[in-house]
Amino acid sequence: MSRKSVSLVGLVLLCCHASLTEQRLQGIFKDPKEPIDERVKDLLGKMNLEEKVGQMTQIERKNASAEVLKSYFIGSVLSGGGSTPKVNATVKEWVDMVNGMQQASLSTRLGIPMIYGIDAVHGHNNVMNATIFPRNVGLGVTRDPQLLKEIGAATALEVRATGIPYAFAPCIAVCRDPRWGRCYESYSEDHRIVQQLTEIINGLQGEAKTDMKGMPYVNGKTKVAGSSKHYVGDGGTVKGINENNTIVDDSALYGMHMAAYVNSVAKGIATIMASYSSINGVKMHAHKQLLTDYHKGKLGFKGFIISDWEGIDRITSPAHSNYSYSIQASINAGIDMVMVPYNYTEFYDGLIDLVKKNAIPMSRIDDAVSRILRVKFAMGLFENPLGDYSLINEVGSQKHRELARQAVRKSLVLLKNGKPGNAPILPLPKNAGKIVVAGSHANNLGYQCGGWTIEWQGVSGNNWTAGTTILDGIKATVDKRTKVVYKKKPSDTYSSKGKMDYGIVVVGEVPYAETNGDSQNLTIPAPGPAVIENVCKETKCVVIIVSGRPVVIEPYVDKIDALVAAWLPGSEGQGQAGSYLV
């Protein structure tokens, strides 16, 4: 046989090999008509260890270059609090960023799309001009599951409009101590109310027709994968200290703190986020009994469990002091995807090394990756991996703002209305001659929204997003002949200097998030008490408390004619005014 013939045969064999390789890579997992678990099984069989570990890795967007995404086969990217494409990024710039990252993931050997996640915990709160809904503590007051479902749907639509398919929400903690800095993330101290309001999941993900029996469910391109958090018992820590130990018996653990997770699984929640806190001394990120045996076993949860931000580091004290142990303990306990925003190379290399040493069985890796792929298939990410630019105008839409105003109105709590022996003062007449509006929170969108808004710890002022302050709402509601005067910090002689018909004082807590919000005294910060004193001593006054939890108000109650708990109402202060005025 001639050399030319041999070369021709070799070329034919090479082409056949390439064709067979392409067929193997296409396979069942590319076919949306195939059952999800068959697609998972097919794709998992094509993956090597490095690709599997990459799927278990979630990194911060600041590190998500095309090279990193492709070299480490990264399974997920997130925005931490305040992490945006740029300052005041437009919706289109969000979509451009996410789609650019997705293109890099799709160019890998198997083309597995990454899933981008973000904390959309009271609307799409990282994004400029998005609708910011009241915090959970206020929504719990509404006792309205249908309203929560509508808020979930609106939030999902705004998140999807920025190209993001995964929201770290809802928080279904049961806050048992208001000193806890995350109490505003809880719907109630009553687990039955928290259970009712898991209806928000049907808004976020879409409503499954039957009990999902643990299968993740996301219905289409306008819905997002959700994440019930923080599993479990985070609202019951000793003294309300964030990330602390929850000392609890089985009755309270399973009857109270676990209750809403049962509802979440029945509704097809896609993911669960582990808590930084401990149960009876065992860190949740290393709690195999609760992560695997109970949640995946008894409850039958088939989505994936994700760590919190650098959550596995905190298994040891001090944090990150024995990282190899933390990787081993968390993965073997049942964590499937690990949020390693910055330290991803150490995690990636460390997990591969532990698998090769048989410290973590390959079966555990395959289980974790199967769960991650199951969620990606369930949400249609393989068929529709890129953000849809046609949804851009949904962010901050008037329809969503009207919904937020409805939620504000339903979340208000009237604590006092009239001094003993006097007639009720609320609602105030719209045609009053002069109303003085005072206090640090009357004209401050940032204070209305609280933490986890634009920045992790929240912001102050009115120049970072769209919305209406409480002052704006009052001005828009009163009669055009009524004079509204705003004094942020009136002096102690202000009320005696000029006649006013009514005073409206708006004071409360300044923004905080997580541990920064822990408080052992629950007092209103200065100058709030002084403003109440200065306005209310000679004028009929309404005091509105803007806070993430109950705060100490008893010392001032006798001076106040009417008292309203407004919680953290979000961007739509207009929703409050109609409740104070006829």
Side-chain angles (χ1 to χ4, degrees), residues 339-375:
M339 196 183 291
V340 277
Y342 307 118
N343 199 35
Y344 61 94
T345 56
E346 185 180 4
F347 169 76
Y348 181 89
D349 294 338
L351 180 50
I352 290 173
D353 183 59
L354 288 165
V355 174
K356 289 181 177 179
K357 291 177 178 176
N358 297 317
I360 296 175
M362 196 66 203
S363 59
R364 174 75 269 272
I365 300 298
D366 286 348
D367 173 62
V369 177
S370 294
R371 291 170 176 276
I372 294 165
L373 296 177
R374 186 177 294 124
V375 169

Side-chain angles (χ1 to χ4, degrees), residues 119-255:
D119 283 280
V121 292
H122 58 138
H124 202 5
N125 46 266
N126 274 274
V127 176
M128 182 183 69
N129 297 333
T131 309
I132 308 299
F133 292 93
R135 295 312 306 249
N136 287 4
V137 65
L139 295 179
V141 170
T142 71
R143 309 291 199 273
D144 189 341
Q146 179 60 31
L147 176 63
L148 269 289
K149 181 180 177 180
E150 293 175 22
I151 289 172
T155 300
L157 193 53
E158 296 204 14
V159 172
R160 275 289 196 173
T162 55
I164 298 172
Y166 181 22
F168 305 133
C171 180
I172 53 174
V174 182
C175 178
R176 302 295 295 173
D177 191 326
R179 293 176 294 182
W180 184 38
R182 305 190 81 147
C183 202
Y184 61 66
E185 299 185 49
S186 170
Y187 294 118
S188 178
E189 64 181 356
D190 184 339
H191 69 274
R192 292 166 296 185
I193 294 171
V194 180
Q195 287 180 277
Q196 291 173 10
L197 299 187
T198 59
E199 188 66 16
I200 194 172
I201 294 169
N202 285 336
L204 289 166
Q205 297 191 160
E207 185 168 5
K209 301 304 179 185
T210 60
D211 185 325
M212 289 302 294
K213 301 187 185 305
M215 283 293 289
Y217 179 79
V218 182
N219 186 20
K221 296 191 291 183
T222 61
K223 300 298 181 180
V224 295
S227 187
S228 289
K229 63 184 188 180
H230 303 84
Y231 184 81
V232 60
D234 51 338
T237 57
V238 174
K239 296 183 180 180
I241 297 171
N242 193 43
E243 304 183 21
N244 203 9
N245 187 29
T246 298
I247 301 172
V248 66
D249 60 20
D250 283 356
S251 175
L253 174 61
Y254 295 104

Side-chain angles (χ1 to χ4, degrees), residues 54 56-65 68-69 72 74-80 101 114-117 168 309 337-345 347-348:
M56 297 171 67
T57 307
Q58 184 183 65
I59 65 173
E60 220 286 329
R61 53 157 290 280
K62 295 174 184 176
N63 297 314
S65 66
V68 169
L69 290 167
Y72 291 91
I74 297 297
S76 185
V77 180
L78 84 152
S79 277
M101 294 177 185
M114 65 87 188
I115 180 173
Y116 197 104
F168 305 133
W309 180 281
M337 181 180 283
V338 180
M339 196 183 291
V340 277
Y342 307 118
N343 199 35
Y344 61 94
T345 56
F347 169 76
Y348 181 89

Side-chain angles (χ1 to χ4, degrees), residues 266-285:
K267 286 179 167 68
I269 193 70
T271 77
I272 300 290
M273 184 180 291
S275 175
Y276 287 129
S277 55
S278 305
I279 293 289
N280 297 326
V282 180
K283 285 284 189 181
M284 275 308 308
H285 278 74

